[in-house]
Amino acid sequence: MSSLRSHDDTWDIATSVGSTAVMVAAARAGETQRDEPLIRDPYAKILVDGAGTGVWEYMLDEAFIARIAEADAEVAEIFEHMGNYQAVRTHFFDDYYASAVASGIRQVVILASGLDSRAYRLDWPAGTVVYEIDQPKVLEYKATTLAKHGVQASAERREVAIDLRFDWPTALRDAGFDPSAPTAWLAEGLLMYLPADAQDGLFERITELSAPGSRVAAETVGVHSEERRARMREKFDALRAKFTDVDMSQPLDVADLMYNDPDRADVTTWLNDHGWTASGITSEQAMRELDRWVLTEEVDEDAFSEFVVGERQ
C-alpha cells in the first residue's frame, strides 16, 4: 500500500497526485517535439510551463537527461521507457475515442482528467460533450492556463469539480450528463491511485450510469515486487543527493503515491462479469507493436499494465 496517501487527502496541480499530471503532460510535450511523434499535444508544454518549479522541467531538458545517463544507465533507460510508455498509452486511448465517436457516441467522460487535453486537441464531431471529472484546483488550473493562451475546446467541455471518492455520479448528472445515452468512459492514469475496493466501486458506478452501447477504457495497474520498488527507490534517492542543483522536491518514484494492492480485481474479468464485453492488451505488447520498447532488463510480466476496452451489452 502507499505510504504517502490517506483516504481524505487532497492536492493541487503541483503536489501529491496532482504533480503526476504535470509529469505526464511533460511526457506528452516531449513526444510532440520528436521528429515522428506518436501523438501531438500542442497544449502540453503550456500546461507544464505554468505549473511552477518541479522535476517536470527537467524531463524536457536533453542536457539533464544526458547527465542522468552518465550517472546511472539503468535509470536513464527507465526515463526513456516512461516517456515511450506515456506516448503509447496516449496513442491507444486517442484511438479508442476516435472509434467511440465513429460509432455514434457523443457523450464522453474522462475520469480524473488531470491535464488531459483531449477536449481541446482531438477532432470531435459536432454535438459531442466532454465531461471532465477531477479535483477543483486541478480543473481550474487547466482551464485558466489554456484560456490565457486563447485555447478553446474543440467540443463542449463541462467541468465536474469533485473528488472521485465522493458522490461524483450526482455531480455528473447535475452537470447535464444523460445516463440514457451511450457514453465513452476513460480511466487513464487513475486506477493505481485507488485501493482495490475503490476500484470496484468506481466500475460499479460506471456500470450503473452506462446505457447499452456505452464503452469504457482503462489502464490497469501493474504490480511491482517490493524488492524492485526498494531498489529503484534507492537509485532515485541517490540521484536526488547527486543533483543538488535540480529541484526534485516532487517524487521521481511515483510508486510512492500508488496503492500496490495485491487484492485488486482484474479489470477485464470484472467487466466481463458485470454486463460488458471486454478485452485487453498488455502495455508491453502495445509498446513493442509501435517499436517503443527499450527496456533491456527482464521484468516480471505482472509489472506491466494492460489497456482494456469494453462495450456495454
Side-chain angles (χ1 to χ4, degrees):
M1 300 291 285
S2 169
S3 61
L4 299 181
R5 301 293 313 286
S6 64
H7 74 282
D8 59 353
D9 55 342
T10 187
W11 49 84
D12 59 20
I13 202 59
T15 60
S16 185
V17 177
S19 66
T20 68
V22 188
M23 295 172 69
V24 171
R28 294 200 308 269
E31 178 66 22
T32 300
Q33 293 173 0
R34 292 175 66 124
D35 291 337
E36 296 182 6
L38 288 178
I39 59 101
R40 288 182 171 84
D41 185 345
Y43 311 122
K45 195 170 188 308
I46 294 173
L47 293 167
V48 173
D49 288 345
T53 300
V55 69
W56 46 79
E57 297 174 278
Y58 304 96
M59 293 172 64
L60 301 175
D61 185 341
E62 293 183 2
F64 173 68
I65 299 301
R67 291 174 65 193
I68 291 285
E70 292 177 1
D72 192 314
E74 183 183 9
V75 171
E77 185 179 84
I78 290 173
F79 262 67
E80 183 179 1
H81 173 82
M82 290 167 57
N84 284 347
Y85 175 87
Q86 296 297 338
V88 170
R89 184 181 79 170
T90 302
H91 180 272
F92 183 91
F93 292 122
D94 282 359
D95 283 353
Y96 156 75
Y97 268 131
S99 176
V101 296
S103 75
I105 292 176
R106 296 293 181 268
Q107 185 165 252
V108 169
V109 178
I110 303 176
L111 299 153
S113 57
L115 298 185
D116 186 306
S117 63
R118 290 185 175 94
Y120 297 87
R121 66 178 178 80
L122 294 187
D123 185 16
W124 299 101
T128 302
V129 180
V130 178
Y131 295 89
E132 294 190 2
I133 305 178
D134 211 320
Q135 299 221 11
K137 291 181 180 179
V138 175
L139 291 174
E140 179 183 9
Y141 169 77
K142 177 166 59 178
T144 301
T145 301
L146 293 180
K148 286 180 179 177
H149 289 79
V151 179
Q152 297 183 344
S154 54
E156 182 179 348
R157 176 179 174 269
R158 298 184 186 177
E159 294 185 354
V160 184
I162 189 171
D163 191 304
L164 285 169
R165 291 168 292 190
F166 303 140
D167 185 12
W168 62 266
T170 295
L172 184 60
R173 288 192 185 95
D174 289 345
F177 176 84
D178 180 3
S180 69
T183 304
W185 303 87
L186 177 60
E188 176 189 30
L190 166 60
L191 301 185
M192 64 282 292
Y193 302 116
L194 300 177
D197 57 346
Q199 174 179 300
D200 290 347
L202 178 76
F203 285 113
E204 287 168 1
R205 289 175 166 182
I206 289 173
T207 300
E208 292 170 357
L209 293 167
S210 294
S214 293
R215 299 189 183 190
V216 64
E219 172 194 16
T220 70
V221 184
V223 179
H224 296 275
S225 71
E226 289 302 323
E227 179 182 355
R228 185 173 189 275
R229 283 163 61 94
R231 180 165 63 86
M232 295 313 302
R233 187 176 295 110
E234 289 178 359
K235 285 181 173 289
F236 287 130
D237 287 343
L239 286 177
R240 290 189 183 95
K242 182 179 181 62
F243 297 119
T244 56
D245 60 320
V246 175
D247 180 3
M248 294 188 181
S249 57
Q250 297 301 329
L252 283 173
D253 184 6
V254 296
D256 284 337
L257 299 173
M258 301 176 183
Y259 288 92
N260 198 40
D261 197 330
D263 298 323
R264 191 181 299 276
D266 177 84
V267 174
T268 303
T269 300
W270 193 99
L271 290 172
N272 282 324
D273 289 344
H274 291 81
W276 300 80
T277 299
S279 61
I281 179 175
T282 66
S283 57
E284 178 180 356
Q285 182 179 348
M287 293 177 74
R288 290 188 184 278
E289 288 180 357
L290 294 171
D291 196 26
R292 287 301 187 90
W293 186 263
V294 297
L295 292 184
T296 54
E297 178 189 14
E298 185 174 342
V299 183
D300 188 339
E301 64 179 15
D302 290 339
F304 298 105
S305 65
E306 289 189 347
F307 303 147
V308 176
V309 294
E311 184 170 355
R312 188 82 165 99
Q313 302 306 306

